[in-house]
């Protein structure tokens, strides 16, 4: 039974919502600082992105560079960046998923990728 004749305590609800928003903002800041890696070609190409998906670094092993076949190198770069972004999305789900559900269910928050 809720004290006060069944009416929710609006002040308490507002405080809970504000704390959830602060937790979400803190998690988003942590994602922006956290770096994750993806690779392709058995490690010939490695891409590093932030948890929010910003490309930070790209390392290409000289063995992957063939002037006669730049198409394969381009494919490896794309694959490494995609792998890194998939890892970043998994990290986003891990860090933000529980917070998003607490704010009304995942998928309903504008500006978030899930």
């Amino acid at each position: 039974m809720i004290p006060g004749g069944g009416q929710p305590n609006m002040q308490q609800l507002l405080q809970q919502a504000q704390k959830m928003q602060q937790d979400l903002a803190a998690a988003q800041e942590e994602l922006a600082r956290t770096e994750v890696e993806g690779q392709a070609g058995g490690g010939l190409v490695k891409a590093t992105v932030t948890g929010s998906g910003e490309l930070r670094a790209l390392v290409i092993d000289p063995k992957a560079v063939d002037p006669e076949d730049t198409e394969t190198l381009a494919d490896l770069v794309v694959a490494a960046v995609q792998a890194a972004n998939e890892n970043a999305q998994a990290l986003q789900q891990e860090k933000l998923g529980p917070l998003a559900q607490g704010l009304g269910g995942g998928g309903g928050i504008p500006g978030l990728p899930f």
Side-chain angles (χ1 to χ4, degrees):
M1 174 172 277
I2 299 174
Q7 295 296 316
N9 182 333
M10 291 305 289
Q11 183 66 28
Q12 187 178 14
L13 288 175
L14 287 173
Q15 287 173 346
Q16 287 175 339
Q18 185 176 24
K19 181 180 182 333
M20 292 170 90
Q21 286 178 325
Q22 289 170 346
D23 290 347
L24 183 60
Q28 288 173 320
E29 287 176 28
E30 182 182 343
L31 282 172
R33 291 190 309 266
T34 303
E35 292 185 348
V36 293
E37 186 178 277
Q39 56 181 308
L44 289 175
V45 177
K46 296 177 184 175
T48 303
V49 299
T50 63
S52 56
E54 179 186 342
L55 182 62
R56 287 292 176 102
L58 187 62
V59 177
I60 301 172
D61 187 305
K63 289 180 252 171
V65 181
D66 177 357
E68 302 297 317
D69 185 15
T70 58
E71 198 171 297
T72 297
L73 177 58
D75 290 342
L76 289 173
V77 169
V78 169
V81 172
Q82 286 176 335
N85 279 325
E86 287 171 9
N87 291 336
Q89 288 177 350
L91 184 63
Q92 288 173 5
Q93 287 289 345
E94 178 186 323
K95 297 286 185 187
L96 300 180
L99 293 172
Q101 289 174 355
L103 288 171
I109 301 175
L112 292 181
F114 51 87

